[in-house]
Amino acid sequence: MLFDIQTLRKQLAAAPIVSPYPHELAVAIICDTFRLANVRPPSRQDWLDLEQYAHHPLWREQVVMLAHLLAGSALRDDSAKALKKGTEATAVLRHFFEDIAPLTAEMVRSNAFRQEEFLRKWVRALGGLVLNESAKESAKRLDQLDYRKAQQELKRAEEARKQEAERREQLLREAQQRESEARGWRE
């Protein structure tokens, strides 16, 4: 199944801004997507297990954001078409939520790159493809968008900056020490 990310983003931009769905409604919307595909949705216990497995405070808002994207665009119908009979819904959701772990709902709502990343990771979890892109191009684009990778690069840059500052401080101390020693010889 091909997903048109640009069209989905336009639809989402045109969708009215609504208050976040209650968690139970979000779960129902996601389950209905699986039902549309004739795939058994996760049971109540599966949802509890997913929450336990995710074990992070962002999980509920990510569930609500997924439901919002499904309900606010053609993503729901496209997702139902992409799901194959016999798909394990819980495994799809587990993979997806692992993949988007650091993204908050606010990031997805307010940042075009994070929204695109969220959509692309959902498409990948479903085994779908992005319209007008090869699988290799899609993987490259997702790699460019990956927030975790950006966080790691930022952390490495901060560490390099810190090490450079420490190195400069050490050089300054050594220069001051040499100047102090030279002054002692002159006096």
Side-chain angles (χ1 to χ4, degrees):
M1 173 67 201
L2 296 176
F3 289 81
D4 187 348
I5 297 290
Q6 298 308 320
T7 300
L8 291 170
R9 292 189 59 221
K10 286 177 187 172
Q11 291 172 350
L12 291 167
I17 297 175
V18 295
S19 297
Y21 298 127
H23 181 72
E24 295 75 23
L25 177 58
V27 166
I29 290 169
I30 296 168
C31 286
D32 285 346
T33 303
F34 286 103
R35 284 187 194 96
L36 283 171
N38 291 321
V39 170
R40 183 181 97 46
S43 67
R44 208 176 273 280
Q45 184 59 48
D46 292 337
W47 281 104
L48 292 173
D49 292 345
L50 279 168
E51 186 169 12
Q52 291 279 324
Y53 180 77
H55 194 61
H56 62 82
L58 302 176
W59 184 79
R60 283 186 170 250
E61 70 180 71
Q62 291 167 343
V63 169
V64 169
M65 182 51 63
L66 176 58
H68 171 70
L69 296 180
L70 288 168
S73 68
L75 186 61
R76 183 185 211 170
D77 293 334
D78 292 348
S79 298
K81 290 175 189 170
L83 287 163
K84 293 165 181 51
K85 201 165 184 95
T87 298
E88 173 56 43
T90 306
V92 169
L93 291 170
R94 180 174 287 177
H95 176 271
F96 174 68
F97 289 120
E98 284 173 2
D99 215 9
I100 62 157
L103 298 180
T104 65
E106 185 56 36
M107 292 166 73
V108 174
R109 190 177 8 264
S110 65
N111 186 300
F113 294 117
R114 300 293 71 91
Q115 184 181 77
E116 183 179 349
E117 179 183 3
F118 195 92
L119 288 167
R120 285 177 177 271
K121 287 184 175 183
W122 177 247
V123 169
R124 181 168 67 184
L126 296 175
L129 299 170
V130 176
L131 185 67
N132 299 324
E133 289 182 1
S134 68
K136 190 174 183 176
E137 291 169 329
S138 290
K140 182 179 177 183
R141 178 66 180 154
L142 195 48
D143 188 54
Q144 291 171 339
L145 292 168
D146 194 339
Y147 184 67
R148 277 187 274 203
K149 186 176 176 184
Q151 281 183 313
Q152 291 168 350
E153 289 172 4
L154 179 63
K155 190 175 180 179
R156 278 193 297 272
E158 278 294 313
E159 187 60 35
R161 186 200 56 75
K162 183 178 173 186
Q163 288 175 353
E164 179 62 22
E166 289 172 358
R167 185 184 71 77
R168 287 181 184 186
E169 175 117 1
Q170 179 64 29
L171 289 173
L172 181 61
R173 280 194 301 264
E174 289 172 3
Q176 289 172 341
Q177 178 68 28
R178 284 192 299 273
E179 183 180 323
S180 175
E181 289 171 358
R183 211 178 349 199
W185 280 97
R186 285 186 295 239
E187 293 176 357

PDB file of all heavy atoms in Angstrom, residues 105-142:
ATOM      1  N   ALA A 105       3.360  14.510  21.892  1.00  0.00           N
ATOM      2  CA  ALA A 105       2.227  14.943  21.070  1.00  0.00           C
ATOM      3  C   ALA A 105       2.424  16.386  20.613  1.00  0.00           C
ATOM      4  O   ALA A 105       2.143  16.725  19.466  1.00  0.00           O
ATOM      5  CB  ALA A 105       0.925  14.791  21.849  1.00  0.00           C
ATOM      6  N   GLU A 106       2.917  17.222  21.489  1.00  0.00           N
ATOM      7  CA  GLU A 106       3.132  18.621  21.132  1.00  0.00           C
ATOM      8  C   GLU A 106       4.152  18.762  20.015  1.00  0.00           C
ATOM      9  O   GLU A 106       4.005  19.593  19.127  1.00  0.00           O
ATOM     10  CB  GLU A 106       3.570  19.429  22.362  1.00  0.00           C
ATOM     11  CG  GLU A 106       3.709  20.914  22.108  1.00  0.00           C
ATOM     12  CD  GLU A 106       2.445  21.563  21.556  1.00  0.00           C
ATOM     13  OE1 GLU A 106       1.341  21.168  21.939  1.00  0.00           O
ATOM     14  OE2 GLU A 106       2.576  22.482  20.722  1.00  0.00           O
ATOM     15  N   MET A 107       5.197  17.956  20.053  1.00  0.00           N
ATOM     16  CA  MET A 107       6.199  17.993  18.989  1.00  0.00           C
ATOM     17  C   MET A 107       5.564  17.619  17.650  1.00  0.00           C
ATOM     18  O   MET A 107       5.826  18.262  16.634  1.00  0.00           O
ATOM     19  CB  MET A 107       7.348  17.027  19.301  1.00  0.00           C
ATOM     20  CG  MET A 107       8.198  17.442  20.472  1.00  0.00           C
ATOM     21  SD  MET A 107       9.273  16.105  21.040  1.00  0.00           S
ATOM     22  CE  MET A 107      10.479  16.071  19.737  1.00  0.00           C
ATOM     23  N   VAL A 108       4.748  16.595  17.649  1.00  0.00           N
ATOM     24  CA  VAL A 108       4.108  16.130  16.418  1.00  0.00           C
ATOM     25  C   VAL A 108       3.106  17.171  15.924  1.00  0.00           C
ATOM     26  O   VAL A 108       3.013  17.448  14.734  1.00  0.00           O
ATOM     27  CB  VAL A 108       3.419  14.763  16.639  1.00  0.00           C
ATOM     28  CG1 VAL A 108       2.626  14.339  15.418  1.00  0.00           C
ATOM     29  CG2 VAL A 108       4.463  13.706  17.000  1.00  0.00           C
ATOM     30  N   ARG A 109       2.399  17.776  16.842  1.00  0.00           N
ATOM     31  CA  ARG A 109       1.382  18.759  16.490  1.00  0.00           C
ATOM     32  C   ARG A 109       2.006  20.051  15.962  1.00  0.00           C
ATOM     33  O   ARG A 109       1.498  20.650  15.027  1.00  0.00           O
ATOM     34  CB  ARG A 109       0.514  19.050  17.725  1.00  0.00           C
ATOM     35  CG  ARG A 109      -0.712  19.848  17.486  1.00  0.00           C
ATOM     36  CD  ARG A 109      -1.601  20.058  18.721  1.00  0.00           C
ATOM     37  NE  ARG A 109      -1.114  19.648  20.014  1.00  0.00           N
ATOM     38  CZ  ARG A 109      -1.391  18.476  20.592  1.00  0.00           C
ATOM     39  NH1 ARG A 109      -2.136  17.590  19.979  1.00  0.00           N
ATOM     40  NH2 ARG A 109      -0.922  18.191  21.781  1.00  0.00           N
ATOM     41  N   SER A 110       3.126  20.473  16.528  1.00  0.00           N
ATOM     42  CA  SER A 110       3.656  21.800  16.210  1.00  0.00           C
ATOM     43  C   SER A 110       4.872  21.812  15.290  1.00  0.00           C
ATOM     44  O   SER A 110       5.294  22.876  14.863  1.00  0.00           O
ATOM     45  CB  SER A 110       4.015  22.526  17.508  1.00  0.00           C
ATOM     46  OG  SER A 110       5.062  21.848  18.169  1.00  0.00           O
ATOM     47  N   ASN A 111       5.437  20.662  14.982  1.00  0.00           N
ATOM     48  CA  ASN A 111       6.654  20.625  14.179  1.00  0.00           C
ATOM     49  C   ASN A 111       6.444  19.748  12.952  1.00  0.00           C
ATOM     50  O   ASN A 111       6.163  18.550  13.079  1.00  0.00           O
ATOM     51  CB  ASN A 111       7.815  20.098  15.039  1.00  0.00           C
ATOM     52  CG  ASN A 111       9.138  20.157  14.329  1.00  0.00           C
ATOM     53  OD1 ASN A 111       9.317  19.540  13.285  1.00  0.00           O
ATOM     54  ND2 ASN A 111      10.084  20.876  14.910  1.00  0.00           N
ATOM     55  N   ALA A 112       6.607  20.322  11.776  1.00  0.00           N
ATOM     56  CA  ALA A 112       6.360  19.594  10.530  1.00  0.00           C
ATOM     57  C   ALA A 112       7.271  18.383  10.385  1.00  0.00           C
ATOM     58  O   ALA A 112       6.842  17.332   9.899  1.00  0.00           O
ATOM     59  CB  ALA A 112       6.540  20.530   9.339  1.00  0.00           C
ATOM     60  N   PHE A 113       8.519  18.504  10.814  1.00  0.00           N
ATOM     61  CA  PHE A 113       9.450  17.387  10.697  1.00  0.00           C
ATOM     62  C   PHE A 113       9.047  16.232  11.610  1.00  0.00           C
ATOM     63  O   PHE A 113       9.110  15.074  11.225  1.00  0.00           O
ATOM     64  CB  PHE A 113      10.879  17.827  11.019  1.00  0.00           C
ATOM     65  CG  PHE A 113      11.440  18.804  10.039  1.00  0.00           C
ATOM     66  CD1 PHE A 113      11.786  20.080  10.444  1.00  0.00           C
ATOM     67  CD2 PHE A 113      11.609  18.470   8.709  1.00  0.00           C
ATOM     68  CE1 PHE A 113      12.303  20.999   9.550  1.00  0.00           C
ATOM     69  CE2 PHE A 113      12.123  19.373   7.796  1.00  0.00           C
ATOM     70  CZ  PHE A 113      12.474  20.644   8.218  1.00  0.00           C
ATOM     71  N   ARG A 114       8.632  16.567  12.831  1.00  0.00           N
ATOM     72  CA  ARG A 114       8.230  15.510  13.770  1.00  0.00           C
ATOM     73  C   ARG A 114       6.930  14.846  13.299  1.00  0.00           C
ATOM     74  O   ARG A 114       6.756  13.639  13.444  1.00  0.00           O
ATOM     75  CB  ARG A 114       8.059  16.078  15.190  1.00  0.00           C
ATOM     76  CG  ARG A 114       9.314  16.710  15.758  1.00  0.00           C
ATOM     77  CD  ARG A 114      10.481  15.759  16.043  1.00  0.00           C
ATOM     78  NE  ARG A 114      11.173  15.205  14.938  1.00  0.00           N
ATOM     79  CZ  ARG A 114      12.259  15.717  14.325  1.00  0.00           C
ATOM     80  NH1 ARG A 114      12.777  16.846  14.725  1.00  0.00           N
ATOM     81  NH2 ARG A 114      12.830  15.099  13.319  1.00  0.00           N
ATOM     82  N   GLN A 115       6.029  15.628  12.714  1.00  0.00           N
ATOM     83  CA  GLN A 115       4.799  15.042  12.191  1.00  0.00           C
ATOM     84  C   GLN A 115       5.111  14.087  11.042  1.00  0.00           C
ATOM     85  O   GLN A 115       4.570  12.982  10.976  1.00  0.00           O
ATOM     86  CB  GLN A 115       3.841  16.134  11.713  1.00  0.00           C
ATOM     87  CG  GLN A 115       2.503  15.565  11.256  1.00  0.00           C
ATOM     88  CD  GLN A 115       1.576  16.663  10.772  1.00  0.00           C
ATOM     89  OE1 GLN A 115       1.744  17.157   9.663  1.00  0.00           O
ATOM     90  NE2 GLN A 115       0.625  17.030  11.610  1.00  0.00           N
ATOM     91  N   GLU A 116       5.994  14.511  10.159  1.00  0.00           N
ATOM     92  CA  GLU A 116       6.379  13.644   9.045  1.00  0.00           C
ATOM     93  C   GLU A 116       7.059  12.382   9.562  1.00  0.00           C
ATOM     94  O   GLU A 116       6.798  11.275   9.082  1.00  0.00           O
ATOM     95  CB  GLU A 116       7.310  14.394   8.084  1.00  0.00           C
ATOM     96  CG  GLU A 116       7.692  13.572   6.871  1.00  0.00           C
ATOM     97  CD  GLU A 116       8.601  14.304   5.903  1.00  0.00           C
ATOM     98  OE1 GLU A 116       8.791  15.533   6.030  1.00  0.00           O
ATOM     99  OE2 GLU A 116       9.125  13.630   5.002  1.00  0.00           O
ATOM    100  N   GLU A 117       7.925  12.535  10.559  1.00  0.00           N
ATOM    101  CA  GLU A 117       8.588  11.369  11.148  1.00  0.00           C
ATOM    102  C   GLU A 117       7.553  10.411  11.742  1.00  0.00           C
ATOM    103  O   GLU A 117       7.620   9.196  11.537  1.00  0.00           O
ATOM    104  CB  GLU A 117       9.573  11.825  12.225  1.00  0.00           C
ATOM    105  CG  GLU A 117      10.290  10.686  12.912  1.00  0.00           C
ATOM    106  CD  GLU A 117      11.220  11.150  14.028  1.00  0.00           C
ATOM    107  OE1 GLU A 117      11.279  12.361  14.331  1.00  0.00           O
ATOM    108  OE2 GLU A 117      11.874  10.276  14.622  1.00  0.00           O
ATOM    109  N   PHE A 118       6.595  10.946  12.474  1.00  0.00           N
ATOM    110  CA  PHE A 118       5.544  10.139  13.103  1.00  0.00           C
ATOM    111  C   PHE A 118       4.774   9.362  12.033  1.00  0.00           C
ATOM    112  O   PHE A 118       4.565   8.152  12.159  1.00  0.00           O
ATOM    113  CB  PHE A 118       4.616  11.072  13.875  1.00  0.00           C
ATOM    114  CG  PHE A 118       3.695  10.407  14.862  1.00  0.00           C
ATOM    115  CD1 PHE A 118       4.070  10.251  16.179  1.00  0.00           C
ATOM    116  CD2 PHE A 118       2.428   9.987  14.480  1.00  0.00           C
ATOM    117  CE1 PHE A 118       3.208   9.678  17.111  1.00  0.00           C
ATOM    118  CE2 PHE A 118       1.558   9.408  15.403  1.00  0.00           C
ATOM    119  CZ  PHE A 118       1.955   9.251  16.720  1.00  0.00           C
ATOM    120  N   LEU A 119       4.357  10.072  10.973  1.00  0.00           N
ATOM    121  CA  LEU A 119       3.608   9.421   9.886  1.00  0.00           C
ATOM    122  C   LEU A 119       4.447   8.337   9.210  1.00  0.00           C
ATOM    123  O   LEU A 119       3.960   7.233   8.948  1.00  0.00           O
ATOM    124  CB  LEU A 119       3.166  10.453   8.847  1.00  0.00           C
ATOM    125  CG  LEU A 119       2.044  11.393   9.264  1.00  0.00           C
ATOM    126  CD1 LEU A 119       1.935  12.561   8.284  1.00  0.00           C
ATOM    127  CD2 LEU A 119       0.730  10.645   9.380  1.00  0.00           C
ATOM    128  N   ARG A 120       5.694   8.665   8.905  1.00  0.00           N
ATOM    129  CA  ARG A 120       6.558   7.697   8.220  1.00  0.00           C
ATOM    130  C   ARG A 120       6.824   6.459   9.088  1.00  0.00           C
ATOM    131  O   ARG A 120       6.904   5.350   8.574  1.00  0.00           O
ATOM    132  CB  ARG A 120       7.875   8.347   7.811  1.00  0.00           C
ATOM    133  CG  ARG A 120       7.742   9.274   6.615  1.00  0.00           C
ATOM    134  CD  ARG A 120       9.048   9.967   6.282  1.00  0.00           C
ATOM    135  NE  ARG A 120       8.926  10.793   5.109  1.00  0.00           N
ATOM    136  CZ  ARG A 120       9.125  10.367   3.863  1.00  0.00           C
ATOM    137  NH1 ARG A 120       9.467   9.120   3.634  1.00  0.00           N
ATOM    138  NH2 ARG A 120       8.976  11.190   2.845  1.00  0.00           N
ATOM    139  N   LYS A 121       6.939   6.654  10.374  1.00  0.00           N
ATOM    140  CA  LYS A 121       7.161   5.501  11.251  1.00  0.00           C
ATOM    141  C   LYS A 121       5.901   4.639  11.348  1.00  0.00           C
ATOM    142  O   LYS A 121       5.995   3.423  11.469  1.00  0.00           O
ATOM    143  CB  LYS A 121       7.664   5.954  12.618  1.00  0.00           C
ATOM    144  CG  LYS A 121       9.112   6.420  12.533  1.00  0.00           C
ATOM    145  CD  LYS A 121       9.706   6.784  13.862  1.00  0.00           C
ATOM    146  CE  LYS A 121      11.180   7.125  13.678  1.00  0.00           C
ATOM    147  NZ  LYS A 121      11.852   7.425  14.932  1.00  0.00           N
ATOM    148  N   TRP A 122       4.736   5.261  11.274  1.00  0.00           N
ATOM    149  CA  TRP A 122       3.489   4.489  11.242  1.00  0.00           C
ATOM    150  C   TRP A 122       3.427   3.685   9.944  1.00  0.00           C
ATOM    151  O   TRP A 122       3.097   2.502   9.948  1.00  0.00           O
ATOM    152  CB  TRP A 122       2.286   5.400  11.391  1.00  0.00           C
ATOM    153  CG  TRP A 122       0.972   4.689  11.289  1.00  0.00           C
ATOM    154  CD1 TRP A 122       0.048   4.821  10.299  1.00  0.00           C
ATOM    155  CD2 TRP A 122       0.440   3.705  12.185  1.00  0.00           C
ATOM    156  NE1 TRP A 122      -1.025   4.002  10.529  1.00  0.00           N
ATOM    157  CE2 TRP A 122      -0.813   3.297  11.678  1.00  0.00           C
ATOM    158  CE3 TRP A 122       0.896   3.130  13.369  1.00  0.00           C
ATOM    159  CZ2 TRP A 122      -1.610   2.344  12.318  1.00  0.00           C
ATOM    160  CZ3 TRP A 122       0.099   2.182  14.005  1.00  0.00           C
ATOM    161  CH2 TRP A 122      -1.132   1.801  13.489  1.00  0.00           C
ATOM    162  N   VAL A 123       3.756   4.322   8.835  1.00  0.00           N
ATOM    163  CA  VAL A 123       3.761   3.637   7.538  1.00  0.00           C
ATOM    164  C   VAL A 123       4.726   2.456   7.580  1.00  0.00           C
ATOM    165  O   VAL A 123       4.409   1.356   7.135  1.00  0.00           O
ATOM    166  CB  VAL A 123       4.135   4.614   6.397  1.00  0.00           C
ATOM    167  CG1 VAL A 123       4.411   3.877   5.097  1.00  0.00           C
ATOM    168  CG2 VAL A 123       3.028   5.650   6.204  1.00  0.00           C
ATOM    169  N   ARG A 124       5.902   2.671   8.152  1.00  0.00           N
ATOM    170  CA  ARG A 124       6.892   1.588   8.252  1.00  0.00           C
ATOM    171  C   ARG A 124       6.375   0.453   9.130  1.00  0.00           C
ATOM    172  O   ARG A 124       6.552  -0.725   8.808  1.00  0.00           O
ATOM    173  CB  ARG A 124       8.209   2.132   8.796  1.00  0.00           C
ATOM    174  CG  ARG A 124       9.282   1.058   8.894  1.00  0.00           C
ATOM    175  CD  ARG A 124      10.645   1.595   9.151  1.00  0.00           C
ATOM    176  NE  ARG A 124      10.778   2.209  10.462  1.00  0.00           N
ATOM    177  CZ  ARG A 124      11.871   2.816  10.873  1.00  0.00           C
ATOM    178  NH1 ARG A 124      12.918   2.932  10.081  1.00  0.00           N
ATOM    179  NH2 ARG A 124      11.926   3.342  12.077  1.00  0.00           N
ATOM    180  N   ALA A 125       5.715   0.800  10.238  1.00  0.00           N
ATOM    181  CA  ALA A 125       5.177  -0.240  11.128  1.00  0.00           C
ATOM    182  C   ALA A 125       4.139  -1.098  10.411  1.00  0.00           C
ATOM    183  O   ALA A 125       4.008  -2.289  10.685  1.00  0.00           O
ATOM    184  CB  ALA A 125       4.580   0.393  12.379  1.00  0.00           C
ATOM    185  N   LEU A 126       3.410  -0.474   9.481  1.00  0.00           N
ATOM    186  CA  LEU A 126       2.393  -1.204   8.722  1.00  0.00           C
ATOM    187  C   LEU A 126       2.975  -1.974   7.541  1.00  0.00           C
ATOM    188  O   LEU A 126       2.268  -2.745   6.890  1.00  0.00           O
ATOM    189  CB  LEU A 126       1.327  -0.238   8.193  1.00  0.00           C
ATOM    190  CG  LEU A 126       0.500   0.491   9.245  1.00  0.00           C
ATOM    191  CD1 LEU A 126      -0.417   1.494   8.569  1.00  0.00           C
ATOM    192  CD2 LEU A 126      -0.284  -0.479  10.097  1.00  0.00           C
ATOM    193  N   GLY A 127       4.233  -1.737   7.235  1.00  0.00           N
ATOM    194  CA  GLY A 127       4.851  -2.375   6.076  1.00  0.00           C
ATOM    195  C   GLY A 127       4.466  -1.684   4.778  1.00  0.00           C
ATOM    196  O   GLY A 127       4.573  -2.269   3.704  1.00  0.00           O
ATOM    197  N   GLY A 128       4.023  -0.428   4.871  1.00  0.00           N
ATOM    198  CA  GLY A 128       3.624   0.333   3.687  1.00  0.00           C
ATOM    199  C   GLY A 128       4.797   1.063   3.060  1.00  0.00           C
ATOM    200  O   GLY A 128       5.923   1.034   3.554  1.00  0.00           O
ATOM    201  N   LEU A 129       4.514   1.713   1.947  1.00  0.00           N
ATOM    202  CA  LEU A 129       5.509   2.494   1.221  1.00  0.00           C
ATOM    203  C   LEU A 129       4.996   3.915   1.039  1.00  0.00           C
ATOM    204  O   LEU A 129       3.783   4.139   1.010  1.00  0.00           O
ATOM    205  CB  LEU A 129       5.783   1.870  -0.153  1.00  0.00           C
ATOM    206  CG  LEU A 129       6.328   0.439  -0.159  1.00  0.00           C
ATOM    207  CD1 LEU A 129       6.316  -0.124  -1.567  1.00  0.00           C
ATOM    208  CD2 LEU A 129       7.734   0.419   0.416  1.00  0.00           C
ATOM    209  N   VAL A 130       5.923   4.837   0.893  1.00  0.00           N
ATOM    210  CA  VAL A 130       5.560   6.236   0.665  1.00  0.00           C
ATOM    211  C   VAL A 130       5.459   6.459  -0.838  1.00  0.00           C
ATOM    212  O   VAL A 130       6.327   6.036  -1.599  1.00  0.00           O
ATOM    213  CB  VAL A 130       6.593   7.184   1.297  1.00  0.00           C
ATOM    214  CG1 VAL A 130       6.275   8.632   0.985  1.00  0.00           C
ATOM    215  CG2 VAL A 130       6.651   6.961   2.807  1.00  0.00           C
ATOM    216  N   LEU A 131       4.397   7.127  -1.247  1.00  0.00           N
ATOM    217  CA  LEU A 131       4.147   7.423  -2.653  1.00  0.00           C
ATOM    218  C   LEU A 131       5.318   8.189  -3.263  1.00  0.00           C
ATOM    219  O   LEU A 131       5.849   9.109  -2.650  1.00  0.00           O
ATOM    220  CB  LEU A 131       2.860   8.246  -2.780  1.00  0.00           C
ATOM    221  CG  LEU A 131       2.375   8.556  -4.195  1.00  0.00           C
ATOM    222  CD1 LEU A 131       1.926   7.277  -4.899  1.00  0.00           C
ATOM    223  CD2 LEU A 131       1.217   9.553  -4.138  1.00  0.00           C
ATOM    224  N   ASN A 132       5.710   7.801  -4.463  1.00  0.00           N
ATOM    225  CA  ASN A 132       6.788   8.433  -5.241  1.00  0.00           C
ATOM    226  C   ASN A 132       8.166   8.303  -4.605  1.00  0.00           C
ATOM    227  O   ASN A 132       9.053   9.115  -4.875  1.00  0.00           O
ATOM    228  CB  ASN A 132       6.484   9.913  -5.518  1.00  0.00           C
ATOM    229  CG  ASN A 132       5.220  10.100  -6.330  1.00  0.00           C
ATOM    230  OD1 ASN A 132       4.917   9.290  -7.213  1.00  0.00           O
ATOM    231  ND2 ASN A 132       4.471  11.146  -6.024  1.00  0.00           N
ATOM    232  N   GLU A 133       8.361   7.318  -3.753  1.00  0.00           N
ATOM    233  CA  GLU A 133       9.666   7.064  -3.148  1.00  0.00           C
ATOM    234  C   GLU A 133       9.956   5.573  -3.181  1.00  0.00           C
ATOM    235  O   GLU A 133       9.055   4.761  -2.942  1.00  0.00           O
ATOM    236  CB  GLU A 133       9.704   7.516  -1.682  1.00  0.00           C
ATOM    237  CG  GLU A 133       9.691   8.999  -1.475  1.00  0.00           C
ATOM    238  CD  GLU A 133       9.775   9.380   0.003  1.00  0.00           C
ATOM    239  OE1 GLU A 133       9.858   8.497   0.883  1.00  0.00           O
ATOM    240  OE2 GLU A 133       9.742  10.585   0.267  1.00  0.00           O
ATOM    241  N   SER A 134      11.205   5.258  -3.436  1.00  0.00           N
ATOM    242  CA  SER A 134      11.611   3.868  -3.310  1.00  0.00           C
ATOM    243  C   SER A 134      11.776   3.570  -1.820  1.00  0.00           C
ATOM    244  O   SER A 134      11.830   4.490  -0.995  1.00  0.00           O
ATOM    245  CB  SER A 134      12.937   3.630  -4.043  1.00  0.00           C
ATOM    246  OG  SER A 134      13.991   4.306  -3.378  1.00  0.00           O
ATOM    247  N   ALA A 135      11.860   2.300  -1.492  1.00  0.00           N
ATOM    248  CA  ALA A 135      12.054   1.929  -0.089  1.00  0.00           C
ATOM    249  C   ALA A 135      13.357   2.535   0.440  1.00  0.00           C
ATOM    250  O   ALA A 135      13.423   2.992   1.590  1.00  0.00           O
ATOM    251  CB  ALA A 135      12.068   0.415   0.055  1.00  0.00           C
ATOM    252  N   LYS A 136      14.378   2.579  -0.403  1.00  0.00           N
ATOM    253  CA  LYS A 136      15.669   3.136  -0.008  1.00  0.00           C
ATOM    254  C   LYS A 136      15.551   4.644   0.247  1.00  0.00           C
ATOM    255  O   LYS A 136      16.097   5.157   1.224  1.00  0.00           O
ATOM    256  CB  LYS A 136      16.702   2.863  -1.106  1.00  0.00           C
ATOM    257  CG  LYS A 136      18.107   3.162  -0.728  1.00  0.00           C
ATOM    258  CD  LYS A 136      19.061   2.724  -1.835  1.00  0.00           C
ATOM    259  CE  LYS A 136      20.495   2.973  -1.413  1.00  0.00           C
ATOM    260  NZ  LYS A 136      21.446   2.488  -2.410  1.00  0.00           N
ATOM    261  N   GLU A 137      14.830   5.345  -0.622  1.00  0.00           N
ATOM    262  CA  GLU A 137      14.627   6.783  -0.435  1.00  0.00           C
ATOM    263  C   GLU A 137      13.838   7.067   0.843  1.00  0.00           C
ATOM    264  O   GLU A 137      14.147   8.012   1.583  1.00  0.00           O
ATOM    265  CB  GLU A 137      13.896   7.386  -1.634  1.00  0.00           C
ATOM    266  CG  GLU A 137      14.719   7.428  -2.910  1.00  0.00           C
ATOM    267  CD  GLU A 137      13.886   7.792  -4.130  1.00  0.00           C
ATOM    268  OE1 GLU A 137      12.682   7.458  -4.175  1.00  0.00           O
ATOM    269  OE2 GLU A 137      14.463   8.418  -5.042  1.00  0.00           O
ATOM    270  N   SER A 138      12.828   6.247   1.100  1.00  0.00           N
ATOM    271  CA  SER A 138      12.029   6.416   2.316  1.00  0.00           C
ATOM    272  C   SER A 138      12.877   6.208   3.561  1.00  0.00           C
ATOM    273  O   SER A 138      12.776   6.970   4.527  1.00  0.00           O
ATOM    274  CB  SER A 138      10.859   5.434   2.329  1.00  0.00           C
ATOM    275  OG  SER A 138       9.915   5.793   1.371  1.00  0.00           O
ATOM    276  N   ALA A 139      13.711   5.175   3.531  1.00  0.00           N
ATOM    277  CA  ALA A 139      14.584   4.894   4.679  1.00  0.00           C
ATOM    278  C   ALA A 139      15.569   6.044   4.893  1.00  0.00           C
ATOM    279  O   ALA A 139      15.822   6.445   6.036  1.00  0.00           O
ATOM    280  CB  ALA A 139      15.334   3.589   4.460  1.00  0.00           C
ATOM    281  N   LYS A 140      16.095   6.584   3.799  1.00  0.00           N
ATOM    282  CA  LYS A 140      17.037   7.707   3.905  1.00  0.00           C
ATOM    283  C   LYS A 140      16.341   8.933   4.502  1.00  0.00           C
ATOM    284  O   LYS A 140      16.894   9.600   5.370  1.00  0.00           O
ATOM    285  CB  LYS A 140      17.610   8.035   2.532  1.00  0.00           C
ATOM    286  CG  LYS A 140      18.630   9.140   2.545  1.00  0.00           C
ATOM    287  CD  LYS A 140      19.190   9.410   1.173  1.00  0.00           C
ATOM    288  CE  LYS A 140      20.160  10.580   1.209  1.00  0.00           C
ATOM    289  NZ  LYS A 140      20.666  10.930  -0.113  1.00  0.00           N
ATOM    290  N   ARG A 141      15.124   9.221   4.030  1.00  0.00           N
ATOM    291  CA  ARG A 141      14.380  10.382   4.546  1.00  0.00           C
ATOM    292  C   ARG A 141      14.069  10.201   6.023  1.00  0.00           C
ATOM    293  O   ARG A 141      14.201  11.134   6.822  1.00  0.00           O
ATOM    294  CB  ARG A 141      13.090  10.592   3.735  1.00  0.00           C
ATOM    295  CG  ARG A 141      12.234  11.727   4.221  1.00  0.00           C
ATOM    296  CD  ARG A 141      12.900  13.063   4.041  1.00  0.00           C
ATOM    297  NE  ARG A 141      12.020  14.128   4.519  1.00  0.00           N
ATOM    298  CZ  ARG A 141      12.431  15.283   4.956  1.00  0.00           C
ATOM    299  NH1 ARG A 141      13.704  15.590   4.946  1.00  0.00           N
ATOM    300  NH2 ARG A 141      11.569  16.181   5.377  1.00  0.00           N
ATOM    301  N   LEU A 142      13.664   8.999   6.406  1.00  0.00           N
ATOM    302  CA  LEU A 142      13.351   8.736   7.808  1.00  0.00           C
ATOM    303  C   LEU A 142      14.606   8.868   8.665  1.00  0.00           C
ATOM    304  O   LEU A 142      14.555   9.389   9.780  1.00  0.00           O
ATOM    305  CB  LEU A 142      12.727   7.351   7.961  1.00  0.00           C
ATOM    306  CG  LEU A 142      12.034   7.049   9.267  1.00  0.00           C
ATOM    307  CD1 LEU A 142      11.073   8.157   9.677  1.00  0.00           C
ATOM    308  CD2 LEU A 142      11.303   5.743   9.178  1.00  0.00           C
TER     309      LEU A 142
END
